[in-house]
Structures are given as structure tokens and as C-alpha cells.
Amino acid sequence: MLVTDTTAAEPAVLATGVDVVLGGHQILSGVDLRVERGEVVALLGANGSGKSTLVRALLGIAPRTAGEVRLLGGALGNGVPWERVGYVPQRLPAGGGVPATALEVVMSGLVHGRTLRPPRDARKRALAALDEVGMAAHARRSVLQMSGGQQQRVLIARALVRRPDLLVLDEPTSGIDLPTQETFVATVRRLHEQGGTVLVILHELGSFAGLIDRAVALRHGRVVYDGPPPDPRGEHAGPGHEHTHPHADPPPPDPGTGLSMEVLP
Amino acid sequence: MTWFETLGAMLSSPLMQRALIAAVLVGAAAPVVGTFLVQRRLALMGDGLGHVALTGVALGWLVGTWAGLVPQDALAIPGAVVAALIGSVAIEWVRARGRTSGDLALALMFYGGIAGGVLLIKLAGGTNANLVSYLFGSISTVSTGDLWWTAGLAVGVLLVGLGLRHVLFAVSHDEEFARGSGLPVTALNMVVAAMSALTVTIAMRVVGLLLVSALMIVPVAVAQLVVGSFSRVMALASGIGVAVSVVGLSITYWEDIPPGATIVLLAIGLYALAAVTRPLLTRRGAGDAPHDPHPELPDDVALPVVGAGPGAADCRPGAPGGATR
């Protein structure tokens, strides 16, 4: 888990001049992002600002039209030590006609990069990861029968089963139950204490406030803010703090309706 | 002659031996590939490839005629393999470029494949009757050469499908996550497509090109009704595939009915049986896992109603008595 290799000097995430064009629309233009080892960085911005696309481009899911990405010292592609990168998407895909158990989904996290077959202790590791998120009792249930929060915790386990040095979370707080939110915060805190790096997409800092070292905000596909997390007031440090008062600082938090009246380019 | 002696006679007939070996191999391999296809919602891919393979059969026939080979269809299976492989790569390529046109591409492939096959077989000096044995299967004409092809390809498909099942599951289950794990997703998709293509060509002799997809998909449909995990669905589907193939083929030893159709109808009969008996089986275990289908989401607004009784509609201010809904 600890960073001991020769590439330790390189940042965990280093993106320079990333352009992404999807469906003829310029979603990201010239985004630079640097996340040092051991940092917890929040990626902020309104709906449609390109946060998710940036994360997807960093992981090689969304195709880049320009720019360079290096993760944990390796160029995107075969150079990245994928066994040390964990990704938690916003939700599980709807799935096909074949049921899959939580254990099978978590074990699918153990194939990555050029490792096409899981290790021998895959089952043990997957059960341990499910135990970490409090889902060990549901290991043999089909994920399609689970609630949204339970599915989300299975997805966290799928990322943790790799014992990642870099964890990327896509909006872990939107529309999930409280135990799952607590699981997310506890996971980030534990990883941070072990020297790991976390990049997390957030609408508002909320329960993560005390953990965030730095915030990067996007607007219209460009970085418009990079610095200390906005509104770092003392009472936010408490893990049980309820986010109930409005922000006055940029960037404005999303109203949370899920609706955007903005006309996208 | 007793029932037992008839069985012995069936098993000692070289023709039946070859047919049974082919049926076991195809019955085991086809549902393994089918499990990945159903998971990816590409259940009809086998059908598209079957149609394309028909053009390949006719093309092999045409080449065989030109080269003056003695059985004119000596190149039919290699032709089908090549055509289906090209078709599978084409489908994946179209899928990777844009999802919306995927089913349109499949449709073009269906009709192009059939039309190409009918046209080419005429050019080769054959008749449509020659194609019928490929369309509906003719397991009784399995030669030793065919058997080698079938055995080799089926074992190859089984080895790849089972050896790479974890990574193929990862790609089929959540393609984006697989891409974000650095997996060679496009190449792995091509592997599934190529496996489907090869399965189509080996199952061609047993059930025929028009029914090939049924042997890949229907056992999976039965298995997912009965068991609840991906690996068990795959194992059970494979077992069902072997069982219906062997039973269907054996029936045709006594009764003069087409084997391909018998095998497929047996599988569909199993599906009906499983669908009917499933409520009886699941009701027994329903007590230990009470399940609310609604996700655990906090309410968007503070709701004053605690118990939603008959007066629940009253909390809508200004509602006109709830006269109409």
C-alpha cells in the first residue's frame, strides 16, 4: 500500500492540456490537473461542467483528442500500475439478463491492465473487501436485487479489493443513504491515513469537508479554481457535521435538483 | 428387441457416435458463449452471424466448384468460419463506433447474409435445396472430417471461454469500469465476437444456421431462472445444452423428426417448465430475505404524513376532493 517504488517522486495524477470532444461538442479544453501523492483533492463544478468527463478521461474511459495523462508515474495505457488504481463510478450499469453476485462483481476488480486472470486468493480478498464496506453478509446475493446504497457499497469494495494507492470517486454523495455515505467518508479517511491519494467529484464538500486538502473547480470544461477548499470553517471538520447553511464562496454549489436550465454548447 | 438393446444399437452405430460427440461438444460450448452474449444484451448476435455464415457456406461451395474439388461443399465449413469471423469483427466495429446504429448493422447483416448465400449458391451451380441442410442442420451427415473441425473449434471455444471467464465477465458486466481498469476492452469484445462466430459454425451441422442462436441463448434463459450467480448460470446452461442436445438427438434415432428443431423445442420446453415452477420454488425461500424494490433514498422534502392511511390525500392543499385521478 505504501509508496516505495522508484516512481514515488512523480505525482499521483498528472494531466496536461487535456481536450475531450464528445459528439462534436468540446467538453474539456486544455485541462491541467496535478494531484500529489497523499493528497485528497475534490473536483467541484455545476452539472455539465465536465467533472465526470475529466475523471473518465483521466482513467482512459473517455477518449482524449489532445493532452497527456500520467497516473502514479505511468503514461495512460500499459504504463499505469492499474492494480493500484481504484475507481468507483456513480452507479452500477443496468446489467444484462444474467444475474451476478456481489462477490463476482468485486472479484471483477481483480482483473486489470494486462492481468487477465484473477490471483489465487481472489475470493478471500473479495470477501475481505466486502467486509470492509459492511456487505459481507450479502456476498452471494445478486447485485440487481440490492438497493442503490448497497450496490454503491459493492462498487466501493470492487475498487478497494485492489488495495489502491489512488482512489477516484465519481459523486459519492449524490442520492445515497446515510450508511453508504459514511462508508465513503470512512474509506477516504482510512486511505488518506495510509498515505493514499484520493480524487473525488463532489457537488458540495458536505461530510467530506474535513478531509479535503485542495479543491479544483471546473466551469464550461476549464479549470477556474485551484486552491484550498472553499469554506474551510472549523465546524465543518467534524465528521457528523450537517451541511445546512448556504455557501457564499465560488464555486456556487449545485442546487441539487438534478435539473440544469443551462444551454450546453 | 428391448429398450436397452436399442440403446446399445444406437451407441454402436458409427454415424450416431459421431453425431453424439458433435452434439455433446456443441451443447457444452454454445451456452458458455451465450452467457456472455446475454450479459451484454447481444442475444441476437448469433443469429446475425448465422446468416453471414450462410454466405460463407455458399462462397466455400463456389470456390470448391472452381477448384474442382470432389465434394463440392468441402470448403463450406472453412468458408463459414471465415465469413462469420469477418461478420463478428464488423459487428463489434460498428458497436464501438456508435451504439444507436448497432441493431441496424445487425439487420443489414441478417438480410445481406441470406441474400448473398442464395445468390452465390446459384452461381456455384447448386440449388437452394443444398442450402437447406445448412439452414436447418443435418447432423446425420456429419463426416469424420466435420467432426474434427467441430471438436477442435468447440474445445478452443470452451478453453478460451472458461479460461478468460473472469475478465470476459468484467468486460461484459461493466464495460466502462473495465476500460477504466486498463483492460484491452476492444480486443476482449472481439474475442467474444470471434467465439460466437466459431460457435455458429460448429453448431451449424447440429441445429442449422437458423437455429444456432437458440442453442446459445435458450439454455442461458433457463439457467438464469433457476440460479442466481453468473458462474452458476454458465455451468447450468452448459449442462442443459448437453442434455437437450443428447436427448433431442437420441429421440431422432427412433422417430423420423429433424434433430435441430427437436433440440431447440426441448430447450424451450425446459424454459416453460422452469418459468412455471419458479414461483413455487422461490416462495419457499422468500421468507428469509424480505426485499423492498425501492432504493434507500432520503426524501426530497420533509413529509408530515407518518402513516399513509385513507386520509393521506388530504395533505395536498387545495385538492378538489380527489374526485378524479
Side-chain angles (χ1 to χ4, degrees):
Chain A
M1 179 76 67
L2 288 177
V3 187
T4 50
D5 57 325
T6 50
T7 57
E10 281 209 52
V13 178
L14 182 63
T16 42
V18 171
D19 280 9
V20 173
V21 177
L22 293 177
H25 298 295
Q26 181 96 24
I27 308 294
L28 295 178
S29 25
V31 173
D32 295 332
L33 182 69
R34 187 186 174 97
V35 180
E36 299 297 339
R37 304 255 173 160
E39 260 192 315
V40 178
V41 172
L43 203 53
L44 305 173
N47 280 337
S49 60
K51 302 185 300 281
S52 279
T53 307
L54 175 57
V55 157
R56 286 153 47 83
L58 291 178
L59 291 166
I61 302 169
R64 282 165 293 141
T65 46
E68 289 288 319
V69 176
R70 295 178 73 82
L71 298 180
L72 297 171
L76 202 57
N78 294 338
V80 174
W82 289 107
E83 71 279 6
R84 294 193 282 129
V85 179
Y87 168 52
V88 184
Q90 249 184 68
R91 56 186 61 86
L92 196 75
V98 183
T101 61
L103 191 64
E104 284 173 324
V105 171
V106 173
M107 274 172 70
S108 77
L110 285 169
V111 288
H112 40 67
R114 289 293 170 269
T115 311
L116 300 185
R117 290 167 63 88
R120 287 201 180 279
D121 59 344
R123 183 170 288 268
K124 216 175 78 190
R125 282 174 65 176
L127 279 169
L130 278 167
D131 196 34
E132 266 187 83
V133 296
M135 290 290 290
H138 300 281
R140 278 171 185 84
R141 260 181 73 198
S142 165
V143 286
L144 293 177
Q145 293 170 0
M146 290 182 179
S147 73
Q150 288 174 329
Q151 287 185 353
Q152 199 71 28
R153 275 185 272 171
V154 171
L155 297 188
I156 302 174
R158 183 176 64 175
L160 290 181
V161 74
R162 291 182 191 164
R163 299 170 189 143
D165 285 337
L166 170 64
L167 184 64
V168 181
L169 307 169
D170 192 347
E171 273 190 52
T173 53
S174 64
I176 53 168
D177 54 330
L178 204 60
T180 306
Q181 252 184 62
E182 282 162 2
T183 306
F184 266 117
V185 174
T187 301
V188 170
R189 178 174 296 118
R190 192 169 56 240
L191 208 72
H192 184 53
E193 282 163 2
Q194 289 166 344
T197 312
V198 180
L199 178 64
V200 52
I201 293 184
L202 291 174
H203 268 305
E204 49 179 21
L205 297 183
S207 45
F208 282 93
L211 288 166
I212 308 292
D213 295 320
R214 188 159 62 91
V216 174
L218 290 182
R219 194 179 293 159
H220 294 292
R222 292 173 198 279
V223 175
V224 292
Y225 177 84
D226 187 346
D231 202 30
R233 288 218 296 268
E235 72 266 26
H236 279 260
H241 175 72
E242 286 289 334
H243 184 90
T244 50
H245 59 271
H247 278 286
D249 313 284
D254 187 81
T257 57
L259 291 172
S260 174
M261 300 305 286
E262 193 178 6
V263 178
L264 297 174
Chain B
M1 203 153 63
T2 64
W3 182 85
F4 201 72
E5 282 167 347
T6 324
L7 198 68
M10 181 183 94
L11 288 176
S12 57
S13 137
L15 182 123
M16 206 58 192
Q17 282 170 354
R18 280 198 298 268
L20 277 173
I21 293 173
V24 167
L25 288 170
V26 170
V32 168
V33 182
T35 312
F36 295 118
L37 292 182
V38 172
Q39 180 79 343
R40 302 178 61 190
R41 298 196 177 279
L42 281 176
L44 291 179
M45 181 151 170
D47 274 311
L49 292 176
H51 289 58
V52 173
L54 190 71
T55 298
V57 166
L59 209 56
W61 200 303
L62 191 64
V63 173
T65 311
W66 279 343
L69 295 179
V70 178
Q72 284 181 314
D73 62 345
L75 292 175
I77 290 188
V81 169
V82 171
L85 278 176
I86 292 173
S88 68
V89 172
I91 290 177
E92 271 311 315
W93 186 73
V94 168
R95 230 175 65 85
R97 281 175 60 98
R99 272 160 203 284
T100 45
S101 55
D103 67 328
L104 203 60
L106 219 50
L108 289 172
M109 216 159 262
F110 269 51
Y111 310 129
I114 286 281
V118 171
L119 193 74
L120 286 175
I121 201 76
K122 196 79 191 168
L123 289 181
T127 61
N128 289 344
N130 296 127
L131 283 184
V132 168
S133 73
Y134 291 96
L135 283 176
F136 296 107
S138 58
I139 198 163
S140 52
T141 63
V142 171
S143 67
T144 318
D146 286 346
L147 188 64
W148 280 117
W149 268 101
T150 306
L153 292 176
V155 168
V157 165
L158 271 173
L159 282 180
V160 173
L162 295 179
L164 293 179
R165 68 185 184 282
H166 286 102
V167 72
L168 294 178
F169 166 77
V171 170
S172 308
H173 180 70
D174 191 343
E175 194 170 315
E176 289 220 331
F177 181 80
R179 221 173 263 284
S181 303
L183 289 171
V185 171
T186 312
L188 290 167
N189 282 342
M190 293 282 181
V191 167
V192 174
M195 277 166 53
S196 323
L198 294 180
T199 309
V200 162
T201 48
I202 59 176
M204 173 169 83
R205 280 297 193 177
V206 180
V207 288
L209 287 170
L210 286 183
L211 293 174
V212 140
S213 205
L215 200 54
M216 292 162 90
I217 303 304
V218 180
V220 181
V222 178
Q224 55 92 28
L225 283 179
V226 182
V227 291
S229 89
F230 189 83
S231 51
R232 284 184 193 181
V233 166
M234 187 179 270
L236 182 60
S238 197
I240 292 171
V242 172
V244 293
S245 299
V246 169
V247 172
L249 193 62
S250 305
I251 292 174
T252 62
Y253 181 75
W254 287 287
E255 302 290 329
D256 184 25
I257 48 177
T262 311
I263 290 169
V264 171
L265 285 178
L266 270 177
I268 290 176
L270 264 184
Y271 178 85
L273 190 71
V276 168
T277 54
R278 193 167 86 117
L280 305 174
L281 294 172
T282 48
R283 187 164 304 159
R284 205 174 47 203
D288 45 47
H291 167 56
D292 181 359
H294 309 95
E296 294 162 23
L297 294 184
D299 285 319
D300 293 330
V301 292
L303 292 178
V305 186
V306 178
D314 296 343
C315 67
R316 278 189 349 193
T324 51
R325 290 230 109 195

